Amino acid sequence: MGQELIRIAITGGAGQIAYSLLFRIAAGELFGPKTPIALHFLEIPEMVGQLEGLKMELEDSAFSTVQEVKVGSDPYEIFEGIDIAFLVGAKPRGPGMERKDLLLENAKIFSAQGKALNKVANRNVQVLVVGNPCNTNCLIAIHNAPDLHPRQFTSMMRLDQNRAASMLAKRAKVSVDDISNMTVWGNHSTTQVPDFYNAKISGKPAIEVINDIPWLENEFIKAVQQRGAEVIKARGKSSAGSAASSAIDAMRSLLTETPQEGRFSCAVYTKNNPYRIDEDLVFSFPCASGGNFDYSIVADVPWNSFLEEKIRLSENELKEERDLIKHLL
């Protein structure tokens, strides 16, 4: 993208994840300290005043990268001409709210944002959905942006991958840099499947280094699946800093070339996927990128019966979510 101005939109701009994300992007952690950027923030009308305060903070930080800051509540204005979108804002689950109601409320948000992206964004825009339930929210946005290619949309499974890698490193008493090929399959939910069978630790199969299959199949998987809830229980709030960090990791993995034989977790549209997953979902696979968002699903990662059973459960959950909001697709 060179030295041309890059326009980056962040929805839910007054929220904690966006707040953690924006200063890191402004500091050049995504496109580098020499690339000029414009930051566009979208919020619901009653929160736009907070965005004005955010704009002041960015001005006061004197980032040389930031050439323009735009705030507002109209997605057709905020998404105009954007190159990158982080769709962070989503309706959280309230007390007594049924799963179906949560899906329907978010479907309204992401169908509207998909339509706006379709109409006014740069034709090569790259969209990362962070707001939960992110995989189904991403599917909704894809269906409402028919003039954009589905591969321009991904949803964030990188936080799950990072959690899994960190837990394996801690168990094996190594650096997290020693963990490779850690894929999380499926949905960003408690059915997700952290694939320790194909992960490596210091270049060796993780199951050989840790050598405790009962722990890996039970405690490890449950710990990754339930980590978000544990953070809320301990902190009183959902993950923000780690989610923002993982969003940057996710975009960087798509933007830069993946090392040979490497891979990263990314939820993408399933059409023509090599794993026989239903072809109208957004599902997390092992992916690799040739750089500049030219990514593909890594084929031929083997499944044993344990993995296949778990992965199909996650696929079924995503199909159920899709069926609940199908009339909005």
Side-chain angles (χ1 to χ4, degrees):
M1 294 187 177
Q3 298 305 304
E4 292 182 11
L5 181 73
I6 297 174
R7 294 191 174 275
I8 304 168
I10 303 174
T11 72
Q16 288 192 83
I17 295 174
Y19 192 79
S20 299
L21 181 62
L22 67 95
F23 289 100
R24 296 183 63 175
I25 293 174
E29 288 193 33
L30 184 55
F31 292 106
K34 302 291 186 184
T35 303
I37 61 173
L39 292 170
H40 298 207
F41 297 104
L42 180 72
E43 257 296 359
I44 56 176
E46 53 266 36
M47 301 292 280
V48 171
Q50 290 191 30
L51 295 184
E52 292 294 344
L54 202 64
K55 186 176 179 180
M56 292 179 204
E57 282 203 78
L58 279 167
E59 291 170 351
D60 295 347
S61 298
F63 289 111
S64 61
T65 57
V66 181
Q67 305 298 304
E68 182 184 340
V69 179
K70 190 174 184 179
V71 304
S73 60
D74 183 349
Y76 289 89
E77 292 181 4
I78 298 302
F79 291 164
E80 186 171 3
I82 61 168
D83 304 291
I84 301 289
F86 291 91
L87 304 188
V88 177
K91 186 175 181 64
R93 191 167 190 159
M97 181 180 282
E98 296 293 331
R99 181 163 157 251
K100 179 180 180 181
D101 296 331
L102 178 68
L103 285 162
L104 289 171
E105 287 298 315
N106 278 294
K108 296 172 188 174
I109 295 169
F110 286 86
S111 59
Q113 291 182 0
K115 290 182 174 84
L117 288 164
N118 189 67
K119 188 170 180 64
V120 301
N122 183 312
R123 294 302 82 185
N124 296 313
V125 67
Q126 294 291 327
V127 181
L128 177 68
V129 178
V130 178
N132 288 318
C134 60
N135 292 32
T136 297
N137 287 342
C138 186
L139 181 69
I140 293 162
I142 287 170
H143 276 277
N144 283 276
D147 298 329
L148 301 175
H149 198 286
R151 65 178 289 107
Q152 292 173 245
F153 293 79
T154 59
S155 76
M156 193 177 78
M157 296 294 291
R158 189 54 171 268
L159 179 55
D160 306 295
Q161 175 187 317
N162 288 349
R163 287 167 169 167
S166 177
M167 290 180 195
L168 285 183
K170 186 176 180 180
R171 181 76 174 191
K173 298 179 180 177
V174 299
S175 166
V176 74
D177 291 338
D178 294 319
I179 309 299
S180 60
N181 291 5
M182 181 68 241
T183 297
V184 178
W185 302 83
N187 196 7
H188 176 65
S189 73
T190 55
T191 68
Q192 65 180 262
V193 187
D195 182 1
F196 60 85
Y197 276 109
N198 289 296
K200 294 184 178 181
I201 301 175
S202 304
K204 300 176 183 178
I207 57 174
E208 292 181 11
V209 176
I210 292 178
N211 194 25
D212 189 346
I213 296 297
W215 179 81
L216 288 164
E217 288 188 346
N218 294 287
E219 286 93 334
F220 167 69
I221 285 184
K222 287 177 183 175
V224 179
Q225 291 173 335
Q226 297 171 6
R227 184 67 163 188
E230 288 298 309
V231 170
I232 293 171
K233 183 179 177 182
R235 186 171 174 261
K237 299 175 183 177
S238 60
S239 302
S242 57
S245 183
S246 298
I248 291 174
D249 287 346
M251 276 292 190
R252 267 201 304 236
S253 288
L254 295 166
L255 182 63
T256 59
E257 186 174 355
T258 305
Q260 192 171 8
E261 296 185 6
R263 64 187 73 147
F264 56 89
S265 305
C266 189
V268 302
Y269 192 56
T270 51
K271 190 170 180 62
N272 298 323
N273 76 85
Y275 292 98
R276 297 183 296 108
I277 298 296
D278 185 291
E279 294 210 340
D280 187 29
L281 299 173
V282 172
F283 189 94
S284 184
F285 297 100
C287 292
S289 178
N292 200 28
F293 302 103
D294 181 22
Y295 65 90
S296 59
I297 297 170
V298 177
D300 302 321
V301 175
W303 294 355
N304 58 17
S305 58
F306 175 85
L307 284 175
E308 175 145 23
E309 180 185 356
K310 299 289 187 185
I311 289 168
R312 293 300 175 193
L313 285 173
S314 203
E315 176 189 17
N316 287 336
E317 181 183 55
L318 281 166
K319 287 161 73 174
E320 290 170 4
E321 289 185 9
R322 179 191 62 197
D323 291 344
L324 287 170
I325 49 83
K326 204 159 191 175
H327 62 288
L328 293 168
L329 297 180

